[in-house]
Amino acid sequence: MPEPTKKDETPNGQPEGVAPVSNGPPPLPEISLEVSPPQEDANSPKKLSIELPNDSVPAMGRKDSVWSLGEGQPPEELEKPIDTPPLSTLLIEKPQSATVSVGGDVTFIAKVEGKDLLRKPTVKWFKGKWMDLASKTGKHLQLKETFDRLSKVHTFEMHIIKAKENYAGNYRCEVNYKDKFDSCSFDLEVQESEQGSQSIDIRSAFKRSEGQEDAGELDFSGLLKHREIKPDDTPEIDVWEILKNARPDEYEKIAFMYGITDLRGLLRRMKKIPKEEKKSEAFAKKLEPAYQVDKGSKIRLVVDLADPTVDLKWYKNGQEIRPTPNQRKYIFEHKGTQRIMVINNCTLNDDAAYSVAAGDEKCSTELFVKELPVKVVKGIEPVKTTVNERIELECEVSEEGAQVKWMKNGVEVPTGVRSRYRVKCEGTKHYLVIDDASREDTGTYSIMATGGTSEAHIQVDLKPLKVYQDLQNMTVMLGQPIKLQCEIYPGNVPGRWYRNGQLIQPNDRINIIHRNRVHRLEIEASSLHDAGDYTFVPEGYSQSLSAKLHIIDPPKVHLDSLNFPDNTMTIVAGNKLRLEIPISGEPAPRVVWMKGERVILESGHRVRAETYGDQTSLTIDVTEREDSGNYKIVLQNEAGEASASVKIKVVDIPDPPDAPLVPEVGGDWCSMTWEVPKYDGGSPILGYYIERKKKQSSRWMRLNFDLIKETSFEPKKMIEGVPYEVRIFAVNAIGVSKPSEPSKAFTPLAVTSEPTMLVVDDVTDTTVTVKWRPPETIGAAGLDGYLVEYCIEGTDDWIVSNNELTEKTKHTITGLTPGTKILVRVKAINAAGASAPRTIQHSVLVKEVIEPPKIRVPRHLKQTYTRRVGEAVNLVVPFMGKPRPKVTWLKEGKVVDSSDVSIRNTDCDSIIFIRKAERSHSGKYEMTVHVDNHVDTAIIDIQIVDLPGPPQSVTIEDVWGGNVALVWTPPKDNGNAPIIGYTIQKADKKTMEWYTCIEHYHRTCITITELVVGNEYFFRIFAENMCGLSEKATQTKKSALIVKEGLQVKTHEFEDHDFKEAPMFTQPLINTFAIAGYNATLNCSVRANPRPKVMWMKNKIAIIDDPRYRMFSNQGVCTLEIRKPSPYDGGMYTCKAINDLGEAQVDCKLEVKGGFTFYELMQRGVPLHLIDQYMSETKTVEQEK
């Protein structure tokens, strides 16, 4: 006998297909069947266990803020692992799961390595998936963080104080630092106290807190609303007993009635309460909760009695099972204390609830009969037949009397009384019969059994037909009769005529004829509706006859419906034109629109032609003046051709006039003229509008509101000196044209007033000089200059003296005849023209007046004028006299050499200039001014001073104690300035380092005191004048030895060694290669005494004041630095050293690499524009150097 099998279960313990419902009633108790292992006896009882739902029952009512669960987290997700992103190793110590008793404390610790972190990481504690515990800190939860500076470790702690049962669950610690992340999950289990569940006030445990003393608890829902506590006078109710005795579907109702919000936690605690099982007095072993057996097998139900003498009764669905002698369905057996009921050949009727009663006690079970699937042994086969034939589909299954379903194209076949389908069954064979098949019976038929399916395709076709004469395609003129005829066999077959799929019925115009094998359709007068596809369909046959009937009609253009005079349509430019013209013709004619020789296409953008139905249209989206003209319509089809013409006239605003001309401008007005527009827009010009604006403005102002008929206008009220522009608008009946181009900018200007205070300044034999003051009123046009005119007295012929305007207020009229009298006038000129003239009141006699000369010596030149050697001398000495005096300069009675001293004379002064003064330029200069026989002289004393020479000789007059007496003679050369003092210095013979003893000393003898005994001293003296100290000093030839008194030291005479030598290069120059653009240096060393003068030359040309070169000389080492050399800097370089004893020089060759010439760049294939750029940059660098 086959073993019962365990029912399928889902992983969470719920039956398959049953999902927890959050808002509905709780699910029914779960039933799980467990089967004994295969090695045990098949007759051994099976274990049945029934468990009440606990944590899987969702809480009802509003969601609470109890800490045990986060809002929106279904209970079945409590045990699921939390998905976390890929972690990085930040946590070096992770929190561990812990267990705590109710009311106890627990601490979780997380540590983070902080050596590589610049700042403190962010740590968050969560309960469940999303509840952040940072907002729950208070009386029962505290968060703490510390940092150990020695070990560089961050420590984060979470303390749970006085834990409650709803604190249990899954927790998570997350650590974030910049782009790093780490996470750790851990569990907290809260165990019940030993007092048991009976001492717990269930309502106080599961009701919400009211926000009084426990404000820091994790349940913060009580904080949302504060209520006053009212004394509860209701009697205590034991809810535990009510829940334990209630059915599971009443849990919600009880929770709602007694105010229990955490129903989920309540059921979880109920599950943990140990169940007290009552010991049965009648049964030592009861029936299992459920059994399962396959259909056709047998099942044994076994109970073990505690008292074998007790009467036993078996029940099925509450009905007692009585044994019968002839029926072997139920067999009752007795084995000791065991009572066994065997059910043979189980069927679906045996699937029921069974119970056994022993005295007053009863135990029950449930039997599940598993039905074996019915399989298809022989499938149905495909059928292909014709209409009106009989179809029979046959199928064989594995079991007699099995229930099957017949399907057609996935839909169950109707088998009612009026159905065309008949179903019959003979043993294991099943049939589907169709007596009179039609084409609608074509499809896929299938049979479905519990253990398999079978399908086949049935094809029902029409019977074949023989055609002697088929229908012929026809083309008929509109209004002509139509005859369609065909001949088929057999001749007695009726048929139907169709036009475009629509059945044709005979009427007064249509006649349908059937004679033997001939079928004919006649239509008296054809119309356009008669065209189409005609089909003759014989009844009961698969073949049909078809033909096309084509009705044609010559095309026509119906212009009469337009109602346009002379077929001319007028439209304003810019508007949309849509001209629709009715047409006729069958088939629909091909329409061509033409303008001249150009064909208008349907795909045009702005101008396009469209034809649809019985009309054609010409569309111009935005009409333009070029669209005017004759348009031709040409229609063509099979029946003929037709054409017509339409004229379109587009009227538009006129073209803008040309830019106006401004021939005349006044102070606040101008006159303007213009030409009429070249195109008037198809309508006469009605007038013009004029606008004006300032040139630098963008705002135009209308000058007239009434149209101006003429082509000239005179704007007024303009601001003087402001540039203006004007423009014109032309107006016709359609509208206003676009503005013309602005005129050239013009500025309203007024002439200035006449010059003032015109007087004669000077008169000679051939010239007259006049001067004047500017006009009092100049105006916005400014003042360009003055025009001077003169005329001989007694005539009106004014002669212009200056061909070009003068900006000065003084002018000399030249070329006059001596002794004549002239009149002079002056005009001020600006952009507006010439002002009124200012004329001298009396005539002027052209005759020069003699004025004796007089020299006006400046105050600083009345004393000696002193300058140093090398400075510039620039003296200006003014003088007076008429006519122009003659000036001469003498020095020491001789004429001043003009090659050495530059002298320039003017009409009123004389300038003496010396670029670099020398001592030879010192002396008294005599200036003489001659006018005829009149003479005036002045003497200028110039003194050029220089540094003095050293004193002539310095001697040691006496030495005593720590004192030395010195005597010297004044210098031979005092520098052309008096000696103002001397500077005395001393030096120890051992070190020869000079120290100043005294400065600005005026005498020629001195006593030097406080000298060190035992030292030997030399002395030297500098002379000083107003230019400074002398370049050299005079040194004592002998030294002064400071000895103690009473000691006499005898000194030996010796000759000084002559260290002088001519220059000699100890290290010559070396040929060098330099890179263009990088600094290069040339080095050599020279030895000479006295110190030589060093010169550098390039290609034998001295290098002087060239910024490209830097020269250095240090301890005899000579260096020449060439800054960023170019190929031009290559060549032969020479270093030359010169002193009084001789000279020496060394040479080297410098070659600069990296630069290219124009020819080299061309050979390398460089483009011309790059060569030009390179050469220009090279020139720029050279110019900067």
Side-chain angles (χ1 to χ4, degrees):
M1 182 175 68
E3 287 288 336
T5 58
K6 183 179 179 180
K7 285 192 173 182
D8 297 334
E9 293 181 356
T10 55
N12 58 1
Q14 293 180 346
E16 186 175 352
V18 178
V21 181
S22 60
N23 295 326
L28 296 176
E30 300 178 2
I31 299 178
S32 61
L33 298 177
E34 297 182 2
V35 183
S36 303
Q39 63 269 19
E40 294 183 359
D41 186 9
N43 297 326
S44 62
K46 306 166 186 62
K47 182 181 180 182
L48 181 92
S49 63
I50 300 177
E51 296 180 355
L52 289 175
N54 40 60
D55 292 345
S56 62
V57 179
M60 295 299 295
R62 75 172 186 85
K63 294 183 175 69
D64 224 349
S65 58
V66 179
W67 191 45
S68 59
L69 283 174
E71 182 176 349
Q73 182 180 3
E76 61 271 12
E77 294 181 359
L78 288 175
E79 305 300 330
K80 292 183 180 179
I82 299 175
D83 296 334
T84 58
L87 305 180
S88 60
T89 56
L90 287 175
L91 290 169
I92 58 176
E93 181 178 333
K94 299 181 180 181
Q96 303 297 326
S97 299
T99 302
V100 66
S101 301
V102 175
D105 300 342
V106 65
T107 300
F108 297 97
I109 300 175
K111 293 186 179 180
V112 179
E113 179 68 48
K115 292 183 179 179
D116 300 330
L117 306 183
L118 300 179
R119 56 180 177 82
K120 183 183 70 175
T122 303
V123 175
K124 293 184 178 181
W125 299 86
F126 294 90
K127 186 174 191 300
K129 279 191 174 181
W130 62 270
M131 180 182 289
D132 191 352
L133 300 181
S135 61
K136 309 295 183 182
T137 56
K139 181 178 180 181
H140 291 273
L141 176 66
Q142 294 181 3
L143 302 179
K144 182 182 178 182
E145 56 185 48
T146 58
F147 178 67
D148 189 352
R149 297 184 179 274
L150 297 178
S151 60
K152 304 293 184 182
V153 174
H154 295 272
T155 303
F156 301 89
E157 301 179 4
M158 181 177 72
H159 302 281
I160 297 178
I161 304 169
K162 296 182 181 180
K164 297 183 180 181
E165 289 189 358
N166 56 354
Y167 293 1
N170 179 262
Y171 291 79
R172 188 171 77 258
C173 175
E174 290 186 358
V175 183
N176 284 284
Y177 178 77
K178 293 185 178 180
D179 56 346
K180 298 181 180 180
F181 175 79
D182 203 349
S183 176
C184 174
S185 296
F186 55 94
D187 296 323
L188 173 62
E189 183 180 353
V190 181
Q191 295 180 351
E192 293 184 359
S193 59
E194 299 178 356
Q195 296 178 357
S197 61
Q198 298 299 329
S199 62
I200 299 176
D201 185 2
I202 180 65
R203 285 183 295 173
S204 63
F206 290 96
K207 281 186 179 180
R208 290 195 296 266
S209 62
E210 297 298 335
Q212 289 85 25
E213 58 188 25
D214 202 9
E217 289 193 64
L218 302 180
D219 181 7
F220 62 93
S221 60
L223 299 175
L224 300 178
K225 185 175 182 183
H226 296 279
R227 301 184 180 90
E228 296 182 0
I229 302 177
K230 297 180 181 180
D232 191 1
D233 298 334
T234 59
E236 293 292 334
I237 300 175
D238 191 354
V239 184
W240 281 114
E241 294 298 329
I242 297 174
L243 288 173
K244 286 192 290 184
N245 298 329
R247 298 193 307 273
D249 59 348
E250 296 178 349
Y251 289 163
E252 273 189 42
K253 182 178 179 181
I254 297 171
F256 181 76
M257 182 182 302
Y258 294 100
I260 297 173
T261 57
D262 192 4
L263 179 61
R264 194 179 314 172
L266 181 146
L267 296 177
R268 188 184 302 113
R269 295 184 61 180
M270 281 185 62
K271 183 179 179 181
K272 296 179 180 180
I273 297 175
K275 298 179 182 178
E276 298 179 1
E277 295 184 0
K278 295 181 180 180
K279 190 173 182 181
S280 176
E281 297 179 356
F283 296 99
K285 184 176 182 182
K286 296 183 179 181
L287 293 173
E288 295 293 338
Y291 296 87
Q292 180 172 304
V293 67
D294 292 336
K295 183 180 177 182
S297 301
K298 67 178 181 179
I299 186 71
R300 294 164 57 92
L301 304 181
V302 182
V303 294
D304 198 347
L305 298 177
D307 184 6
T309 62
V310 177
D311 293 336
L312 200 68
K313 292 183 180 181
W314 294 87
Y315 296 89
K316 175 183 178 183
N317 291 334
Q319 300 294 327
E320 184 179 357
I321 304 174
R322 298 180 184 276
T324 57
N326 298 329
Q327 186 180 3
R328 302 293 295 174
K329 181 68 175 177
Y330 300 100
I331 300 174
F332 300 94
E333 298 178 358
H334 293 248
K335 290 185 179 180
T337 59
Q338 289 184 350
R339 300 296 183 262
I340 303 172
M341 181 179 70
V342 180
I343 305 174
N344 293 315
N345 193 16
C346 292
T347 63
L348 294 178
N349 293 329
D350 297 324
D351 191 300
Y354 293 86
S355 60
V356 59
D360 295 334
E361 291 191 25
K362 180 186 291 187
C363 66
S364 61
T365 186
E366 191 170 354
L367 177 63
F368 297 94
V369 179
K370 185 177 180 182
E371 187 178 8
L372 296 177
V374 178
K375 298 181 179 180
V376 179
V377 179
K378 181 181 179 182
I380 56 178
E381 297 180 355
V383 177
K384 188 174 182 180
T385 183
T386 58
V387 296
N388 302 329
E389 298 294 336
R390 185 176 184 274
I391 301 175
E392 183 175 294
L393 300 180
E394 179 184 350
C395 178
E396 185 176 354
V397 297
S398 61
E399 185 178 342
E400 293 184 4
Q403 296 292 330
V404 298
K405 279 186 180 180
W406 287 92
M407 313 285 286
K408 176 187 176 184
N409 296 331
V411 180
E412 187 175 358
V413 174
T415 56
V417 178
R418 297 183 180 181
S419 176
R420 299 176 58 253
Y421 303 96
R422 291 189 298 109
V423 177
K424 62 180 181 177
C425 176
E426 297 177 358
T428 59
K429 293 183 178 181
H430 295 260
Y431 298 90
L432 176 65
V433 180
I434 305 173
D435 292 327
D436 187 8
S438 64
R439 296 194 64 182
E440 291 75 9
D441 295 327
T442 300
T444 301
Y445 291 78
S446 60
I447 184 171
M448 296 180 61
T450 57
T453 61
S454 176
E455 66 179 23
H457 185 73
I458 295 180
Q459 179 68 37
V460 181
D461 297 328
L462 296 177
K463 297 179 180 178
L465 182 70
K466 188 173 183 180
V467 180
Y468 289 103
Q469 181 182 351
D470 200 352
L471 293 177
Q472 301 295 326
N473 294 336
M474 295 182 64
T475 301
V476 181
M477 292 290 290
L478 185 65
Q480 298 297 321
I482 301 172
K483 289 185 180 180
L484 293 174
Q485 180 177 318
C486 64
E487 185 178 352
I488 60 175
Y489 178 83
N492 58 349
V493 176
R496 296 183 179 181
W497 289 87
Y498 294 88
R499 179 178 62 237
N500 296 330
Q502 298 293 328
L503 180 64
I504 300 175
Q505 299 290 345
N507 54 28
D508 296 340
R509 197 172 63 88
I510 301 174
N511 188 19
I512 297 176
I513 301 173
H514 177 201
R515 293 179 182 174
N516 296 329
R517 297 181 299 183
V518 177
H519 296 263
R520 185 165 60 248
L521 174 66
E522 295 180 354
I523 302 175
E524 291 183 359
S526 61
S527 64
L528 295 178
H529 298 288
D530 294 330
D533 294 335
Y534 285 79
T535 305
F536 176 73
V537 180
E539 294 184 4
Y541 289 88
S542 61
Q543 195 170 357
S544 62
L545 289 76
S546 300
K548 288 187 177 181
L549 177 61
H550 190 37
I551 307 297
I552 61 175
D553 184 26
K556 292 181 182 179
V557 182
H558 304 278
L559 294 179
D560 300 338
S561 61
L562 295 180
N563 296 325
F564 293 149
D566 300 330
N567 293 333
T568 301
M569 183 178 182
T570 304
I571 188 170
V572 178
N575 293 338
K576 182 176 181 179
L577 170 66
R578 183 175 179 86
L579 179 60
E580 296 182 351
I581 299 176
I583 60 174
S584 62
E586 186 64 31
R590 186 173 72 91
V591 182
V592 178
W593 284 81
M594 301 178 65
K595 181 183 180 185
E597 299 298 329
R598 182 171 60 89
V599 177
I600 300 174
L601 304 177
E602 295 184 0
S603 59
H605 295 289
R606 188 179 65 87
V607 181
R608 60 186 178 275
E610 299 175 339
T611 301
Y612 48 90
D614 56 352
Q615 65 180 7
T616 181
S617 66
L618 173 67
T619 303
I620 304 176
D621 289 335
V622 181
T623 55
E624 299 175 355
R625 62 182 63 171
E626 292 81 5
D627 297 329
S628 299
N630 292 323
Y631 289 80
K632 184 179 180 182
I633 311 168
V634 180
L635 307 181
Q636 292 180 346
N637 68 358
E638 298 176 7
E641 180 178 340
S643 64
S645 296
V646 177
K647 184 177 181 180
I648 296 177
K649 182 180 180 181
V650 180
V651 293
D652 195 2
I653 60 175
D655 285 348
D658 293 335
L661 302 177
V662 183
E664 188 176 358
V665 180
D668 62 346
W669 61 273
C670 73
S671 63
M672 53 184 295
T673 60
W674 62 90
E675 299 292 336
V676 296
K678 297 179 181 179
Y679 175 67
D680 61 0
S683 180
I685 299 296
L686 301 179
Y688 303 92
Y689 286 119
I690 293 92
E691 288 186 351
R692 177 185 72 197
K693 80 172 182 69
K694 298 176 183 177
K695 184 178 180 181
Q696 62 271 25
S697 174
S698 60
R699 179 175 172 268
W700 290 91
M701 183 177 67
R702 179 69 58 84
L703 299 183
N704 63 311
F705 295 97
D706 296 331
L707 292 176
I708 297 175
K709 308 293 183 181
E710 298 80 10
T711 58
S712 62
F713 186 70
E714 188 173 302
K716 295 182 179 180
K717 296 182 180 180
M718 290 184 285
I719 302 174
E720 183 183 358
V722 177
Y724 285 91
E725 293 177 347
V726 291
R727 66 182 183 182
I728 311 297
F729 293 86
V731 182
N732 65 0
I734 306 304
V736 182
S737 70
K738 294 181 180 179
S740 67
E741 290 294 326
S743 65
K744 293 184 178 178
F746 63 92
T747 305
L749 298 173
V751 297
T752 67
S753 62
E754 59 187 14
T756 60
M757 300 180 65
L758 176 61
V759 295
V760 177
D761 183 57
D762 190 17
V763 179
T764 66
D765 292 339
T766 58
T767 64
V768 174
T769 302
V770 294
K771 60 181 180 180
W772 61 91
R773 298 291 301 274
E776 294 180 354
T777 304
I778 294 179
L783 180 63
D784 296 339
Y786 300 94
L787 184 65
V788 181
E789 298 177 331
Y790 70 94
C791 72
I792 299 175
E793 186 180 17
T795 65
D796 292 333
D797 187 12
W798 290 93
I799 301 171
V800 177
S801 175
N802 54 329
N803 295 326
E804 296 182 358
L805 297 180
T806 177
E807 296 180 357
K808 299 179 180 179
T809 58
K810 185 177 181 180
H811 180 70
T812 300
I813 303 173
T814 61
L816 300 176
T817 304
T820 60
K821 291 184 178 181
I822 62 173
L823 294 175
V824 181
R825 68 182 184 185
V826 180
K827 296 179 181 179
I829 309 297
N830 65 2
S835 68
R838 168 69 68 177
T839 307
I840 294 180
Q841 296 180 356
H842 305 284
S843 60
V844 180
L845 177 63
V846 181
K847 185 177 180 180
E848 187 172 11
V849 179
I850 297 177
E851 181 181 347
K854 185 177 182 181
I855 301 174
R856 297 180 178 273
V857 179
R859 180 178 299 177
H860 70 282
L861 295 181
K862 292 182 179 179
Q863 301 175 357
T864 302
Y865 182 76
T866 305
R867 279 290 181 268
R868 294 187 179 185
V869 174
E871 293 182 348
V873 177
N874 188 10
L875 304 180
V876 179
V877 182
F879 57 82
M880 299 174 59
K882 289 185 179 181
R884 179 175 179 175
K886 182 179 179 181
V887 182
T888 57
W889 285 86
L890 299 177
K891 178 186 178 185
E892 307 295 341
K894 297 181 181 180
V895 178
V896 177
D897 188 2
S898 60
S899 61
D900 193 17
V901 179
S902 176
I903 298 175
R904 183 174 64 85
N905 300 320
T906 65
D907 293 344
C908 59
D909 58 25
S910 180
I911 301 174
I912 181 170
F913 177 73
I914 303 174
R915 185 176 299 276
K916 290 185 178 181
E918 298 178 0
R919 292 175 61 180
S920 60
H921 293 146
S922 301
K924 295 180 184 271
Y925 290 79
E926 182 181 357
M927 176 183 176
T928 306
V929 180
H930 297 268
V931 176
D932 287 345
N933 297 326
H934 303 277
V935 178
D936 190 14
T937 60
I939 295 176
I940 309 297
D941 188 6
I942 299 177
Q943 182 180 3
I944 307 301
V945 298
D946 197 2
L947 295 175
Q952 296 187 25
S953 63
V954 179
T955 59
I956 299 175
E957 189 71 19
D958 192 9
V959 178
W960 74 98
N963 306 314
V964 174
L966 300 176
V967 178
W968 63 91
T969 57
K972 185 177 181 181
D973 181 11
N974 63 356
N976 205 19
I979 300 298
I980 60 175
Y982 299 93
T983 298
I984 299 95
Q985 294 181 347
K986 65 179 179 180
D988 190 356
K989 184 178 181 181
K990 297 179 182 178
T991 60
M992 289 307 293
E993 292 183 0
W994 295 96
Y995 298 94
T996 300
C997 299
I998 191 169
E999 295 179 326
H1000 311 301
Y1001 188 73
H1002 297 283
R1003 299 181 182 180
T1004 58
C1005 60
I1006 191 173
T1007 300
I1008 306 299
T1009 62
E1010 297 180 357
L1011 298 178
V1012 179
V1013 175
N1015 290 352
E1016 190 174 358
Y1017 293 92
F1018 286 95
F1019 299 92
R1020 67 180 183 183
I1021 300 176
F1022 293 88
E1024 183 180 4
N1025 66 0
M1026 62 182 297
C1027 294
L1029 294 176
S1030 59
E1031 293 182 352
K1032 298 181 181 180
T1034 302
Q1035 181 179 332
T1036 58
K1037 294 184 179 180
K1038 297 181 179 180
S1039 61
L1041 179 62
I1042 308 301
V1043 297
K1044 292 183 179 180
E1045 295 182 357
L1047 295 178
Q1048 298 292 333
V1049 179
K1050 185 178 181 179
T1051 59
H1052 297 279
E1053 297 290 339
F1054 63 91
E1055 296 181 358
D1056 293 337
H1057 178 72
D1058 188 5
F1059 288 96
K1060 297 181 179 178
E1061 63 175 325
M1064 181 182 66
F1065 284 92
T1066 59
Q1067 177 64 39
L1069 294 174
I1070 300 174
N1071 294 337
T1072 306
F1073 292 92
I1075 304 300
Y1078 293 89
N1079 292 357
T1081 57
L1082 302 177
N1083 300 295
C1084 63
S1085 62
V1086 63
R1087 187 178 68 200
N1089 191 13
R1091 183 177 179 180
K1093 179 180 179 182
V1094 179
M1095 295 176 54
W1096 287 90
M1097 294 180 288
K1098 175 191 174 186
N1099 297 330
K1100 298 183 179 180
I1101 298 175
I1103 301 173
I1104 301 174
D1105 296 335
D1106 193 334
R1108 292 179 299 170
Y1109 301 95
R1110 294 176 62 190
M1111 307 174 194
F1112 305 96
S1113 179
N1114 185 16
Q1115 300 295 329
V1117 178
C1118 303
T1119 302
L1120 175 66
E1121 181 182 354
I1122 307 172
R1123 298 181 177 180
K1124 297 183 179 179
S1126 64
Y1128 171 79
D1129 294 318
M1132 185 66 69
Y1133 285 81
T1134 303
C1135 181
K1136 188 174 183 180
I1138 306 173
N1139 68 358
D1140 296 338
L1141 301 179
E1143 63 182 33
Q1145 69 179 27
V1146 289
D1147 302 325
C1148 76
K1149 184 178 180 181
L1150 175 65
E1151 183 177 351
V1152 180
K1153 294 185 178 181
F1156 301 98
T1157 63
F1158 182 88
Y1159 178 72
E1160 291 174 341
L1161 294 173
M1162 289 291 293
Q1163 282 186 333
R1164 291 173 178 266
V1166 179
L1168 285 176
H1169 69 281
L1170 296 179
I1171 297 177
D1172 294 339
Q1173 181 179 355
Y1174 174 81
M1175 300 303 291
S1176 62
E1177 291 177 355
T1178 305
K1179 290 180 180 179
T1180 304
V1181 173
E1182 292 179 357
Q1183 291 175 359
E1184 291 177 354
K1185 291 180 180 180

